[in-house]
Amino acid sequence: MNHEKNDSALQGEQTPRRKRGFGKQPSSDHEKKDQSRRWLFWTVDILLVVAIVAAVLVAVSLLTPFSLFGSGEDELRSITYTVEFVGVDSEQVSQLKVGDTVTDVKTGSVIGTVSAINNRPYEVYTDTPIPDKELGEDVYVVGTYTYPDSYVTLTVTISVTAEYRAGLGYSAEDCRIAVGSEYELRFPSYTASGSCIGMRE
């Protein structure tokens, strides 16, 4: 009987202690885990936002003419570019002279002066394939027809002091100058359409 009472008394004393100890320990551990998880989520969120903002800034600076990291001021640079005109009447070539002022018809901007004039025979591709003797009898290439005297391919080299801006390129007054661009140019006694095939500073 006494043993049973003592056992029950011991169990009564131990049970509250276990309950009290068991109840407090998990709650503090759980709170610590929650706080560490919150800090982890906040850190990841902040890093993601910073990465997205940085990516947007880099994309804007690369894909647009706006410079986010530079001064964005124009620089004056002396450039020389070449415009090619195809199928020009050979009689009109004599109307062009070195030193002529060149005006862009579309914008009305003066975009330089003529510094060199060259021409070569005007060639066009035909629809008839012809055998290539150098590559072999079974190899055919696209044939060309050369106009003997009536038409020429004209190249005009133009010099100008242009404004340069990073991300935008060169421009003379309101006319942007770039390789591959098409222009309708007015000379003092001649107007023709051509494309820019080269540029150098």
Side-chain angles (χ1 to χ4, degrees), residues 136-162:
E137 295 180 0
D138 297 333
V139 178
Y140 288 82
V141 295
V142 177
T144 59
Y145 175 76
T146 303
Y147 287 83
D149 297 317
S150 54
Y151 297 99
V152 296
T153 296
L154 179 68
T155 56
V156 178
T157 303
I158 303 168
S159 300
V160 67
T161 300

Side-chain angles (χ1 to χ4, degrees), residues 125-194:
Y125 291 105
T126 66
D127 296 331
T128 305
I130 59 173
D132 191 313
K133 296 178 181 179
E134 295 180 359
L135 298 177
E137 295 180 0
D138 297 333
V139 178
Y140 288 82
V141 295
V142 177
T144 59
Y145 175 76
T146 303
Y147 287 83
D149 297 317
S150 54
Y151 297 99
V152 296
T153 296
L154 179 68
T155 56
V156 178
T157 303
I158 303 168
S159 300
V160 67
T161 300
E163 296 177 349
Y164 174 80
R165 177 175 292 187
L168 184 61
Y170 300 93
S171 61
E173 295 186 4
D174 295 326
C175 181
R176 185 171 184 270
I177 300 172
V179 174
S181 296
E182 299 288 331
Y183 300 97
E184 185 178 4
L185 301 183
R186 181 183 295 119
F187 303 90
S189 56
Y190 180 67
T191 300
S193 296

Side-chain angles (χ1 to χ4, degrees), residues 5-18 20:
K5 288 181 180 179
N6 290 336
D7 289 341
S8 61
L10 288 172
Q11 287 178 359
E13 290 178 0
Q14 291 177 357
T15 301
R17 288 178 185 173
R18 287 178 185 173
R20 285 194 296 270

